[in-house]
Amino acid sequence: MGKCEQCIVREFSSLKALNKEELLKLADCKSTYTIKKGEPIFEEGETINGIYCIKDGVCKLTKLSANGKDQIVKLVKSGELLGQRSMISDEAANLSAVALEDMQVCFVPKKEVLDFFNGNNQFSMNVMKTICGDLKEADDHMVSMAQKSVKERLAETILFLDDNFGRNEDGTLRIQLSREELAGMIGTATESCIRLLSEFNKSNYIELVGKKIKIVDKNKLKRLSE
């Protein structure tokens, strides 16, 4: 049993507002799971009944589009919480969360979270701020999809993966998305995404190492993404 007060999730999320007594209560009621790469934490349409704390690992939040394809809406890394919005709005999950690597997550039941929400003003403010931040991100993403070319969006996404999730020892991006997932993130067909990646490769912006991507010229990518 990990101590909640020393956990990375507490440091970076709404939970930092909880006092010692509340953290002990949190430690008592949570359950901890290991989620294997490729497994869902929860699926779109499911009733979650609590929040998930991402202790370790990265997951993708996806939405099933009308053509049956999974569109990646967001990537979430350790230190973040999932399910806050569904809990407040009392609705089923709007997205699916699927592990991109092996993960450690803790689940905290809704009843306890709502007790904190009602009893700790700073905690409820933090949750609201997080939800507002997600909305702002969604707005920015929508504008970017509408106003930037696919090429600019691909450059932007490669930079985002580098800045947020870092690199492997061989210099390739740590988060390994399939060509289809990348295409879904930038809103284009898989074939177009593959074509653009090889174009970036030829222009020496990136180097393709098997299925992996290695950034060769970050400044060129930055200029392209703007």
Side-chain angles (χ1 to χ4, degrees):
M1 284 289 274
K3 283 202 169 95
C4 290
E5 63 257 45
Q6 288 156 6
C7 179
I8 179 173
V9 184
R10 178 178 176 235
E11 220 173 295
F12 293 113
S13 72
S14 332
L15 300 175
K16 59 179 169 287
L18 300 184
N19 61 38
K20 192 142 183 130
E21 197 182 317
E22 289 166 324
L23 285 167
L24 288 170
K25 198 173 163 193
L26 184 67
D28 273 347
C29 72
K30 69 166 199 215
S31 346
T32 304
Y33 301 97
T34 300
I35 311 271
K36 292 267 171 245
K37 180 180 176 166
E39 284 180 359
I41 301 173
F42 54 79
E43 304 204 27
E44 192 178 330
E46 207 178 290
T47 304
I48 306 179
N49 285 328
I51 57 172
Y52 287 92
C53 306
I54 309 286
K55 201 170 173 185
D56 198 28
V58 178
C59 69
K60 58 178 180 176
L61 294 181
T62 64
K63 182 115 183 112
L64 202 58
S65 60
N67 62 6
K69 280 204 162 83
D70 270 333
Q71 173 90 28
I72 294 185
V73 176
K74 193 181 177 190
L75 297 178
V76 179
K77 57 179 186 288
S78 52
E80 297 188 58
L81 300 178
L82 293 177
Q84 296 177 98
R85 189 176 69 192
S86 303
M87 188 189 62
I88 301 298
S89 65
D90 223 357
E91 289 170 347
N94 187 38
L95 305 168
S96 297
V98 179
L100 284 174
E101 53 187 19
D102 289 355
M103 297 180 75
Q104 285 264 256
V105 302
C106 292
F107 177 75
V108 184
K110 182 174 181 172
K111 182 195 173 301
E112 269 72 21
V113 186
L114 288 178
D115 284 350
F116 300 147
F117 199 84
N118 294 327
N120 182 326
N121 218 336
Q122 192 52 54
F123 173 70
S124 42
M125 273 306 284
N126 287 356
V127 172
M128 288 309 172
K129 278 186 181 154
T130 307
I131 294 172
C132 292
D134 285 347
L135 274 174
K136 179 178 180 294
E137 242 174 62
D139 289 345
D140 291 346
H141 183 65
M142 201 165 66
V143 170
S144 158
M145 288 291 250
Q147 295 181 351
K148 289 189 169 181
S149 70
V150 178
K151 205 181 223 176
E152 288 165 337
R153 294 201 299 270
L154 180 58
E156 189 175 57
T157 301
I158 292 171
L159 289 168
F160 167 81
L161 292 173
D162 187 40
D163 292 341
N164 286 276
F165 303 98
R167 303 179 185 187
N168 297 314
E169 279 177 16
D170 63 359
T172 55
L173 295 179
R174 188 172 84 77
I175 286 299
Q176 178 63 33
L177 294 177
S178 70
R179 301 301 188 240
E180 198 170 5
E181 287 171 330
L182 255 183
M185 270 188 93
I186 60 176
T188 190
T190 308
E191 300 72 50
S192 312
C193 180
I194 291 170
R195 203 168 47 242
L196 277 175
L197 283 170
S198 68
E199 201 180 299
F200 280 16
N201 191 34
K202 279 199 194 85
S203 309
N204 278 329
Y205 298 163
I206 61 170
E207 184 192 334
L208 297 174
V209 186
K211 287 269 174 227
K212 295 181 175 177
I213 295 173
K214 188 176 187 174
I215 293 178
V216 175
D217 195 328
K218 198 164 180 174
N219 289 329
K220 272 188 189 163
L221 275 178
K222 272 202 175 109
R223 282 199 294 276
L224 184 60
S225 73
E226 287 157 3

